[in-house]
Amino acid sequence: MAMPPKPRSSRNPDLICGIGKYSRSVIYHKRGLWAIKEKNGGMFPKHEPKKKVGEVEEKKVKWYPADDVKVPLKNKRKERPTKSS
């Protein structure tokens, strides 16, 4: 019989809500990011996106500027002269 999978837990448990137990630099080393950078000459590896086979170009959306004319809102406020002191 296979054992049930363990529930996932964070490498950085919270001390209080939103505050981790370990600093950013400690987590950097715990995750082994330093080893990945060292293996790739001091930079993280970059993966080029794979091109899909038979990719179809998206059709351009038809847009007519006459349909998108902004109509000013009606202003029912009556203009009055300013008060002079």
Side-chain angles (χ1 to χ4, degrees):
M1 273 193 138
M3 294 184 69
K6 290 184 181 179
R8 292 187 181 214
S9 62
S10 172
R11 293 172 196 254
N12 190 8
D14 285 345
L15 288 177
I16 57 172
C17 187
I19 308 281
K21 181 177 179 181
Y22 302 113
S23 66
R24 289 174 65 183
S25 59
V26 172
I27 293 301
Y28 179 86
H29 283 272
K30 282 182 84 167
R31 289 177 62 194
L33 297 178
W34 61 273
I36 295 169
K37 279 179 79 171
E38 188 175 288
K39 186 167 59 174
N40 291 291
M43 292 175 62
F44 284 113
K46 294 196 176 192
H47 303 285
E48 298 297 324
K50 294 180 181 178
K51 292 186 178 181
K52 295 179 181 177
V53 179
E55 186 174 315
V56 179
E57 293 183 22
E58 292 183 27
K59 292 182 180 179
K60 292 184 180 178
V61 177
K62 292 181 182 178
W63 180 77
Y64 300 100
D67 294 345
D68 201 31
V69 175
K70 289 188 177 181
V71 179
L73 296 172
K74 290 183 179 179
N75 187 356
K76 295 179 181 178
R77 184 177 59 86
K78 187 173 184 181
E79 290 193 24
R80 298 184 203 141
T82 57
K83 293 183 180 178
S84 299
S85 301

